[in-house]
Amino acid sequence: MRTHYCGLVDETLIGQTITLAGWTDVARNLGGVCFVDLRDHEGIVQVTVEPGSPGSTNAEVFAVAASLGYEDVLQVEGVVRARQAVNEKIPTGKVEVIATRITVLSKAAPLPFHAHENPGEETRLRYRYLDLRRPEMQRMQRTRIRLVQALRRHLDADGFQDIETPILTKATPEGARDFLVPARMHAGEFYALPQSPQLFKQILMVAGFDRYYQIARCFRDEALRADRQLEFTQLDMEFAFVRERDVQDYVEAMVRAVFREVVDVDLDAQFPRMTWAEAMRRYGSDKPDLRIGLELVDVADLVKDSGFAVFSAAAGDPDGRVAALRIPGGASLSRKQIDEYAAHAAKYGAKGLAYIKIDEAGAVSSPIAKFFDEAAFAALIAHVGAGNGDIVFFGAGGYNKVSDFMGALRLKAGKDFGLVQDGWKPLWVTDFPMFEWDEEAQRYVALHHPFTAPAVDDIADLRANARTAVSRGYDMVLNGNEIGGGSIRIHRPEMQSAVFELLGIGEEEARAKFGFLLDALNYGAPPHGGIAFGIDRIAALMAGTESIRDVIPFPKTTTAQCLMTGAPSPIPDGQLAEVHVQVRAESKS
């Protein structure tokens, strides 16, 4: 139906007759001439229609052009001509197509929004097919497509084997909730949609496939936000006979090559490395944004003898922390703005936020000054490096909680005060804790997942020092986003059983949930490790958007709905009966 794409018409085609197909982006009837901007996925070209004499072919074409509306679908035949009024804003701006025939293939109803508008997200998602026509959305989707193509080329060339793993699998909830699928042929039993291909890819290593990858669809029934969806895509990888550095060096080179190919960005020749403990101490985050130069400063030793009970209690607690964050120029904050910072910190667990404010003349104001003698207060200010025009915020409490809310405060301050540098800052975060203690459940939970190997090989050592045990996990971070996470896996069944035991998973439960894995490890499992990269997050970074919904063709809303299709939706009782399911009325108590 066409010989050329609209956005690729150029001066080499002048004098040629071509056929185009696309959507009416804009139609302008100026009386003596009609201009139609015709758009397809490659771009826009101007189609010019001259009226001609009554009854002529040109007059018929002009009549069609004059009747066009937004988003009508056309086939246009015409001759390429040099354009007198050049439009430097578009690649086709030096040429136009003089129409000799226009066929309307489909008429569009009145639009809820135009392709060059940016309506609210609810409207965009309800009419996603129109939203995806917008040039900006086309650009972002094609960035994602190029990303996946580049990854596949890189991995295929290096001998990785693209192997599909099951979508209908066994429910093994260890983290987010599973999506469950009733099994029609097995009454009362269910499949689960995979949260990741983790166990299957480990079993592929046991099976001797050595290097595996998959562009995998994964599903997690969890709360949504800008960087999370119920269903998402990851690049899943696994290597046999490797140590941490083998995996890291390979995928680091891969990421550098892909960024260069897809978005012409040169990342660091070698990504810096930082332990989890250092990242939390300096930045209050295990995915620090290194474009922001602000750092947290521990001040427990300077405040432990103060009269401020909140500080002294946290300073005296082995699991406590008192941290300070100096914001250059922060003295400009009003009391209302300071309260807004406190409210922001409260979202991450802060019960309060102390501060010291030093104006441009050097005058100090602080609600905590009265709890310190003059020398101790001066020493505190000097230790955090505060000077005229600065504000210093303080957080006190449990170590992880203080790190969380002070880290969130650091990000907010960096954005509010224009302290986010341009460019790309990759980072490896390593040596994660093996476990963290869940106060509510009164048991350890795995910080990565239960199949991550500990740094120690001795089971007795692991049991004796579970609280401080370090794992062989690692994350790749870019501009404050975790884009990939992985680890060396447990390959010995006795170590896997010991980890399950420390996580409160008894032998009977372990056999019921993970017996197939334990059996596989018994038959000669090689040392192995891997990593998974979030395709959606990387594509969003490459496309320059903060929301992964912009790079997913058909995403869910933050309320887990598809506004376009109306999913989720009720299912008729007869269909539910076929899969042995009955819906109970929601309790109103």
Side-chain angles (χ1 to χ4, degrees):
M1 293 186 72
R2 60 188 170 194
T3 60
H4 295 78
Y5 291 111
C6 297
L8 302 182
V9 179
D10 59 21
E11 292 166 288
T12 65
L13 298 174
I14 289 176
Q16 294 186 32
T17 298
I18 64 173
T19 303
L20 305 172
W23 286 265
T24 306
D25 195 73
V26 176
R28 305 180 298 278
N29 182 357
L30 304 184
V33 64
C34 274
F35 296 105
V36 178
D37 288 346
L38 191 66
R39 186 189 74 247
D40 64 15
H41 72 283
E42 290 288 0
I44 290 175
V45 68
Q46 178 173 288
V47 175
T48 302
V49 187
E50 297 165 342
S53 58
S56 68
T57 303
N58 270 13
E60 293 175 7
V61 175
F62 188 88
V64 173
S67 70
L68 295 175
Y70 288 128
E71 300 301 307
D72 287 348
V73 182
L74 312 179
Q75 182 188 52
V76 174
E77 184 178 293
V79 179
V80 180
R81 178 173 84 180
R83 187 166 166 175
Q84 290 184 340
V86 172
N87 182 354
E88 298 288 357
K89 294 180 180 179
I90 56 175
T92 63
K94 293 182 179 180
V95 295
E96 60 185 346
V97 177
I98 307 303
T100 56
R101 179 174 60 84
I102 296 178
T103 303
V104 179
L105 302 174
S106 178
K107 290 291 290 182
L111 300 171
F113 61 90
H114 188 261
H116 294 284
E117 296 174 350
N118 187 12
E121 187 172 57
E122 183 173 332
T123 300
R124 290 175 54 198
L125 294 180
R126 189 174 301 280
Y127 300 96
R128 189 62 165 180
Y129 38 86
L130 296 180
D131 186 40
L132 289 171
R133 284 188 201 167
R134 296 191 301 122
E136 179 64 4
M137 290 299 292
Q138 289 272 320
R139 179 189 69 81
M140 289 194 279
Q141 297 302 319
R142 293 176 79 176
T143 297
R144 180 195 178 103
I145 291 165
R146 288 197 303 273
L147 166 62
V148 172
Q149 290 171 335
L151 290 168
R152 285 193 183 279
R153 279 195 298 270
H154 193 97
L155 292 165
D156 290 342
D158 284 346
F160 280 80
Q161 300 175 82
D162 182 359
I163 304 175
E164 292 182 348
T165 54
I167 293 296
L168 295 176
T169 184
K170 182 180 178 66
T172 55
E174 285 298 323
R177 293 184 184 89
D178 285 326
F179 277 102
L180 301 177
V181 180
R184 181 181 61 82
M185 293 183 288
H186 299 275
E189 298 183 352
F190 295 81
Y191 301 103
L193 303 183
Q195 296 189 30
S196 86
Q198 180 63 44
L199 300 185
F200 287 104
K201 68 180 180 179
Q202 289 190 237
I203 288 173
L204 286 170
M205 295 304 100
V206 178
F209 283 94
D210 197 74
R211 281 188 166 195
Y212 142 95
Y213 87 94
Q214 182 181 186
I215 307 294
R217 295 292 285 170
C218 303
F219 307 84
R220 293 180 187 173
D221 189 1
E222 59 185 355
L224 277 68
R225 57 190 190 212
D227 65 346
R228 284 190 182 173
Q229 283 279 295
L230 300 178
E231 51 183 318
F232 57 95
T233 306
Q234 67 185 37
L235 167 62
D236 205 55
M237 304 174 66
E238 200 76 4
F239 308 65
F241 301 105
V242 288
R243 298 184 178 91
E244 292 91 324
R245 196 66 187 238
D246 299 317
V247 177
Q248 294 165 11
D249 287 349
Y250 179 84
V251 298
E252 181 179 316
M254 178 189 73
V255 168
R256 270 197 300 271
V258 167
F259 265 78
R260 189 179 304 115
E261 178 180 341
V262 178
V263 286
D264 196 24
V265 165
D266 287 315
L267 299 177
D268 292 349
Q270 186 170 350
F271 294 1
R273 295 170 187 277
M274 185 180 298
T275 65
W276 175 89
E278 181 183 359
M280 297 301 287
R281 176 175 57 81
R282 294 173 61 186
Y283 303 108
S285 172
D286 58 7
K287 50 182 180 181
D289 190 341
L290 299 187
R291 296 174 302 165
I292 301 171
L294 304 178
E295 294 193 23
L296 306 184
V297 178
D298 285 312
V299 296
D301 288 346
L302 295 170
V303 303
K304 63 183 178 182
D305 297 323
S306 73
F308 189 35
V310 174
F311 280 8
S312 58
D317 183 348
D319 295 321
R321 184 177 195 186
V322 186
L325 175 68
R326 179 183 73 90
I327 305 174
S332 62
L333 291 174
S334 66
R335 181 51 195 263
K336 180 183 177 184
Q337 289 171 316
I338 290 172
D339 290 343
E340 289 171 354
Y341 269 72
H344 183 74
K347 295 176 185 177
Y348 297 86
K351 294 182 178 178
L353 201 62
Y355 67 89
I356 298 174
K357 188 175 179 180
I358 309 173
D359 69 18
E360 294 293 348
V364 177
S365 60
S366 171
I368 63 171
K370 61 187 177 183
F371 296 105
F372 294 82
D373 62 43
E374 188 174 334
F377 198 64
L380 180 61
I381 291 174
H383 183 71
V384 300
N388 293 5
D390 294 346
I391 193 170
V392 182
F393 287 115
F394 296 88
Y399 192 94
N400 288 343
K401 183 167 288 186
V402 170
S403 299
D404 285 346
F405 70 72
M406 292 299 285
L409 211 64
R410 172 183 172 270
L411 292 179
K412 177 174 171 58
K415 293 175 182 177
D416 290 351
F417 285 86
L419 302 175
V420 183
Q421 301 169 13
D422 291 333
W424 301 86
K425 292 289 185 180
L427 172 72
W428 280 109
V429 178
T430 65
D431 301 327
F432 282 77
M434 186 73 182
F435 309 109
E436 59 183 348
W437 183 253
D438 186 325
E439 283 290 344
E440 186 175 336
Q442 285 294 293
R443 68 179 183 93
Y444 287 116
V445 294
L447 199 67
H448 263 77
H449 54 60
F451 320 106
T452 298
V456 297
D457 287 329
D458 186 81
I459 292 174
D461 187 342
L462 179 65
R463 286 188 171 122
N465 300 287
R467 184 175 173 276
T468 57
V470 172
S471 79
R472 299 177 71 181
Y474 38 81
D475 284 355
M476 184 183 286
V477 176
L478 183 61
N479 290 3
N481 297 271
E482 177 209 327
I483 62 169
S487 68
I488 299 301
R489 324 302 188 186
I490 297 168
H491 72 281
R492 293 188 293 127
E494 58 272 21
M495 177 62 82
Q496 187 64 78
S497 294
V499 168
F500 284 154
E501 179 187 327
L502 286 166
L503 293 170
I505 302 172
E507 184 177 352
E508 185 176 337
E509 183 182 1
R511 289 301 312 176
K513 289 182 176 179
F514 307 109
F516 62 97
L517 173 67
L518 294 170
D519 289 343
L521 297 181
N522 269 313
Y523 291 102
H528 59 283
I531 194 166
F533 286 95
I535 295 291
D536 309 308
R537 289 184 187 177
I538 298 174
L541 285 168
M542 287 180 163
T545 178
E546 293 186 358
S547 175
I548 63 170
R549 291 191 291 275
D550 287 336
V551 294
I552 297 173
F554 302 102
K556 305 293 188 292
T557 66
T558 53
T559 56
Q561 294 174 294
C562 175
L563 298 181
M564 186 183 75
T565 64
S569 58
I571 300 295
D573 289 343
Q575 190 174 350
L576 289 175
E578 289 180 348
V579 293
H580 320 288
V581 168
Q582 184 176 8
V583 176
R584 293 193 308 182
E586 186 176 358
S587 174
K588 300 187 179 183
S589 58

